[in-house]
Amino acid sequence: MDIIVKTRREFERIAASHIREILGPGVEVEPAPMGYLGVVFVKGLGEGKWRAAEQIANRVPEADRVLVVEGLVKAELGEIERAAAEVARRYITASDTFAIRTTRRGAHSFTSIEVNVRAGAAVKEATGAEVDLEEPSKPLYIEIFQDTAAICIPATKEYRKLRRDKPLALHVFRKVALGQFVYEGDEEAVRKMGERIGRAVQTFEVGELTILLHKPVQGRALRAFIQAVEEGIESRYQIQVKSYGRAVWKVPVYVYELYQYVRAREGEPIVVTDPKGDYITHVKERLAELFARDRVNILIGAREGVPPGVFRFASLVVDLVPEVTIATDFVVPSLAIALISALEEAGALPKYAGKRPKTPTHARHDR
């Protein structure tokens, strides 16, 4: 094989069809080799494989990753170690950083971690390059298919959720105490709105949510709203627990009367969201000062806005999107995005500094 193309599962045949059209006759394109979904082999390219890889990367969006095969050996640790070092000498210099990315398919006497450790040590010895598991300048991919191991160089960029230039936002959201007015209407509308608000606050893992009463509300409507909010929080929380590789904060829910809430939070920052306020980026420095505190209370209306009398007790009154009145179920996401954007502009957010590697390589999943 000359090129390994990795796609989403069940997109390998579509990708293969486009690759055949681009590269023309004389090139063998095999989708789902050995029954492995999400993989396409491209063969018969010879010296033109790098140009072909660039064409695939530029013209086939179904190709999530395009890997050029630079070494092909038996799937044995010693052979993989030797081949990885040989490819690395041509590809990696002492001034580069590298990581080994291994995907293993089939039954073997070794694990992906063992491949990473052995191959990583060999590459480091052969090149003098340092390991960077998160943002290597020269990643090396080892794709194992049963008895065959391919040592590959990527023709496509790696994309990661966190990079060293990205600001960190989660600690800011944890400081946020949201005060959300009760949404009133028919029971079905109240239920849907409550669930959406619950999912939104849990998405951003805010420190707490207090449902605020500023006038008499029917008990049935209040009960339906609280129950829906908690269901929305629980629904999103369960998804986060399954998909995140870290501990997840579950947002606690309280109920309070608006004016007593404002009195109880006296001395703490209070921010009111209202179209009559200052555009949030215009007060970013003041916002940054408020978020130097341990807790920032942010009030959100529902149908009716926050009463103007409360404005006098607020540290800030902010407008999230000038000339737009935001629907109740969109306020929390809009607030979160605007808040982080303003704090980033103010230089108030720390940058992700990366993690120190525990081992000389990074293991991918086995399958």
Side-chain angles (χ1 to χ4, degrees), residues 88 91-97 124 126-130:
Y91 172 55
I92 298 171
T93 68
S95 61
D96 292 322
T97 58
K124 184 174 177 61
T127 64
E130 292 298 321

Side-chain angles (χ1 to χ4, degrees), residues 11 117 120 160 210 214 237 265 281 297 346 351 353:
F11 278 80
V117 170
R160 301 184 68 80
T210 300
H214 67 292
Y237 174 74
R265 302 295 167 104
T281 61
N297 305 281
K351 304 287 186 180

Side-chain angles (χ1 to χ4, degrees), residues 256-268 270 313:
Y256 217 148
E257 194 272 333
L258 169 65
Y259 299 106
Q260 298 307 314
Y261 179 89
V262 172
R263 289 187 176 97
R265 302 295 167 104
E266 184 180 0
E268 296 183 15
I270 295 178
F313 298 85

Side-chain angles (χ1 to χ4, degrees), residues 65-104:
R65 184 161 289 135
V66 181
L67 305 175
V68 179
V69 179
E70 291 289 345
L72 207 58
V73 296
K74 289 183 179 180
E76 298 174 359
L77 277 175
E79 290 292 307
I80 294 170
E81 184 179 351
R82 178 191 58 77
E86 182 180 324
V87 172
R89 288 189 188 97
R90 305 193 303 265
Y91 172 55
I92 298 171
T93 68
S95 61
D96 292 322
T97 58
F98 79 95
I100 306 296
R101 315 291 200 202
T102 299
T103 303
R104 189 171 58 85

